[in-house]
Amino acid sequence: MGFFAIFLLLSILFVSASFSSGEMQPKMGVCYGELGNNLPIPSKSIQLIQKLNAKRIKIYGTNPKILKAIQHTDIQISIMVPNQLIPAISTNQTLADHWVHSNVVPFYPKSKIRYLLVGNEILSNQPNSTWFKLVPAMRKIRYSVKKFGLKKIKIGTPLAMDVLESSFPPSNGTFRSDVREKVILPLLRFLDRTKSFFFVDAYTYFPWVSQPLQINLDYALLQLTNITYTDPGTNLTYNNLLDQMLDSVVFAMKRLGYPNIRLFLAETGWPNGGDLDQIGANVYNAATYNRNVVKKFMAKPPTGTPARPGTLIPTMIFALYNENQKPGQGTERHFGLLYPNGSHVYPIDLSGKTSVSEYPVLPEPKSNRKLWCVAADSANKTALAEAVSYACSQGNRTCDPIQPGGKCYKPNSLSKHASYAFSSYWTQLRTAGATCFFNGLAVMTSKDPSYGSCKYPSVNL
Ligand SMILES: *[C@@H]1O[C@H](CO)[C@@H](O)[C@H](O)[C@H]1NC(C)=O
Ligand SMILES: *[C@@H]1O[C@H](CO)[C@@H](O)[C@H](O)[C@H]1NC(C)=O
Ligand SMILES: *[C@@H]1O[C@H](CO)[C@@H](O)[C@H](O)[C@H]1NC(C)=O
Ligand SMILES: *[C@@H]1O[C@H](CO)[C@@H](O)[C@H](O)[C@H]1NC(C)=O
Ligand SMILES: *[C@@H]1O[C@H](CO)[C@@H](O)[C@H](O)[C@H]1NC(C)=O
Ligand SMILES: *[C@@H]1O[C@H](CO)[C@@H](O)[C@H](O)[C@H]1NC(C)=O
Ligand SMILES: *[C@@H]1O[C@H](CO)[C@@H](O)[C@H](O)[C@H]1NC(C)=O
Ligand SMILES: *[C@@H]1O[C@H](CO)[C@@H](O)[C@H](O)[C@H]1NC(C)=O
């Protein structure tokens, strides 16, 4: 009995000691994407990362120059098996061994490789046989990592929020039915058994930008206001959108019988710019969001989320640089903390030691909080003219200013008239359910289309 009690006491002491050091200290990370043709070389990039006070980085491959450059620093790194290798590795232990032997072994332990991610958001693509090979590939990679005695490396795979078919209310969080049984269940079993993390990429920007009038901007930016949401399923109260998103993953895992797998926020961020008509994407909002992320996730003791108060969630901000070769909308190329020339897009300190009020105040963007509904650049002219007649037939004097002699009649261009008609229709009838869509002919913009004495009606965010 006595021996047992002492043994128990020692293990408790040991456990609490390991909780207060190493992995359990908050460390902010940054995602070091390399999709730019104008980015600094790895050794210079590592200096910039140290100046940001980032303690972790994630790379989207295994660039040996980066792995070399972090030796003799305290930066921990997460590396990645490319998506294309998953099918071959899933059935070939020799290949898994070969991959680990050539990409990890030469650098470990001098390079502090801590996470080995298998693929990137692979469940977000079109239905694809690679999905079902993911967990088998993770098992093979883990077997190799153990075989080579690389003790500190956890295996995971980062998934985007679209693995959930429902995320609202958070307690209704549910994994997509097309992957739930055959991919997610074995994945959760693997992560649980290996004490790894569920790596999730979660951006409040995307739900906000698709519903900017339903979701308060400050709530998405993690600005503490009096806005709260209480989940009717749990009575848990939320004061920001990110906690809601993270807890929806927690509840989705719980629904499948895994209530305790830790979360790792593998990517989060906010765009500092984009195409002209992309709302909310500006330096002011990006600085606000990312500074709030640092404050939240570097807090000691950790704040956690309403479903898991006090838990530490390791976090990586996307991204180190604005990357000019990322495909997709303009915002995709504007997530950086730094410009490619290495200068800050806005001041930020990832150590958590600079309080939000200590940063120099940034000018609020001009039209940041107003929205107009304008004709999309590529809109079909015939359909656009039809939509204008419809919009003008609704509401009260909706199109008076674009009639001959009106303040917005000249220049007599279909696209300008349509933008006026859409904005006027939308601002008047929005509360009655009107949307800024017109079958894809209309888009929301935060750039004021007004000119001269022609003022377009707007909606306040
Ligand atoms: C299937 O998904 C993988 C991983 O995302 C990707 O590399 C591959 O090109 C996809 N294949 C098809 C046929 O779409
Ligand atoms: C497994 O991978 C190894 C190493 O790349 C390769 O030599 C071998 O041919 C592969 N085996 C099969 C069955 O594909
Ligand atoms: C809960 O999730 C299911 C799908 O899993 C969805 O059909 C339902 O609408 C959601 N409930 C609410 C209140 O959103
Ligand atoms: C929240 O605060 C704003 C101003 O700070 C105020 O206008 C609003 O009435 C408050 N709402 C609630 C529900 O307290
Ligand atoms: C939430 O709170 C209300 C009012 O206090 C109570 O009636 C309800 O049972 C609670 N629901 C849950 C899920 O705890
Ligand atoms: C770096 O690039 C940004 C954006 O192009 C520019 O505004 C800034 O002046 C540049 N800084 C230096 C030191 O060249
Ligand atoms: C443009 O819209 C009109 C009317 O909606 C439709 O009949 C026509 O096929 C469309 N043209 C193109 C190129 O899509
Ligand atoms: C239409 O708008 C005018 C002012 O612009 C207002 O006097 C009038 O009452 C409105 N009519 C309706 C039906 O809302």
Side-chain angles (χ1 to χ4, degrees), residues 265-403:
L265 182 48
E267 275 183 18
T268 193
W270 193 284
N272 58 57
D275 299 332
L276 280 183
D277 60 4
Q278 285 179 286
I279 61 167
N282 57 56
V283 170
Y284 185 86
N285 289 345
T288 303
Y289 181 81
N290 284 327
R291 288 169 185 176
N292 285 336
V293 163
V294 173
K295 177 181 164 194
K296 176 174 171 62
F297 292 101
M298 291 301 285
K300 288 180 220 169
T303 48
T305 64
R308 288 181 172 175
T311 55
L312 190 142
I313 304 172
T315 298
M316 308 253 204
I317 291 178
F318 187 88
L320 181 58
Y321 296 117
N322 280 352
E323 296 167 70
N324 67 0
Q325 293 179 319
K326 276 206 85 186
Q329 294 195 317
T331 45
E332 288 293 319
R333 292 175 286 286
H334 291 87
F335 271 89
L337 301 178
L338 306 179
Y339 292 113
N341 61 16
S343 65
H344 276 245
V345 178
Y346 44 84
I348 188 160
D349 167 16
L350 303 189
S351 74
K353 288 182 185 145
T354 307
S355 78
V356 168
S357 60
E358 283 173 66
Y359 290 108
V361 177
L362 292 165
E364 281 211 40
K366 280 191 205 105
S367 54
N368 171 34
R369 286 171 187 257
K370 283 189 172 173
L371 284 185
W372 290 264
C373 181
V374 298
D377 285 340
S378 54
N380 167 338
K381 299 286 178 252
T382 318
L384 197 56
E386 288 166 6
V388 171
S389 342
Y390 171 77
C392 293
S393 72
Q394 305 293 305
N396 182 9
R397 299 168 173 264
T398 304
C399 292
D400 278 7
I402 54 173
Q403 303 308 317

Side-chain angles (χ1 to χ4, degrees), residues 230-236:
T230 301
D231 184 328
T234 54
N235 281 348
L236 293 172

Side-chain angles (χ1 to χ4, degrees), residues 83-84 86-87 120-123 125-131:
N83 292 353
Q84 308 81 283
I86 291 172
N120 193 35
E121 297 187 353
I122 80 150
L123 303 181
N125 298 327
Q126 294 301 308
N128 182 319
S129 61
T130 303
W131 289 359

Side-chain angles (χ1 to χ4, degrees), residues 68-117:
K68 270 244 164 61
I70 60 161
Q71 297 184 343
H72 317 295
T73 75
D74 60 355
I75 297 171
Q76 298 187 349
I77 191 166
S78 163
I79 61 173
M80 199 174 274
V81 176
N83 292 353
Q84 308 81 283
L85 276 185
I86 291 172
I89 286 180
S90 71
T91 56
N92 188 336
Q93 188 62 53
T94 313
L95 182 57
D97 291 352
H98 187 252
W99 193 90
V100 171
H101 189 259
S102 48
N103 292 292
V104 186
V105 172
F107 304 98
Y108 188 94
K110 262 198 189 157
S111 311
K112 297 182 179 59
I113 301 169
R114 291 292 176 271
Y115 307 100
L116 208 171
L117 302 180

Side-chain angles (χ1 to χ4, degrees), residues 422-440:
F422 292 165
S423 290
S424 178
Y425 161 87
W426 187 48
T427 49
Q428 282 187 69
L429 299 168
R430 178 173 80 71
T431 49
T435 59
C436 173
F437 186 58
F438 293 95
N439 217 6

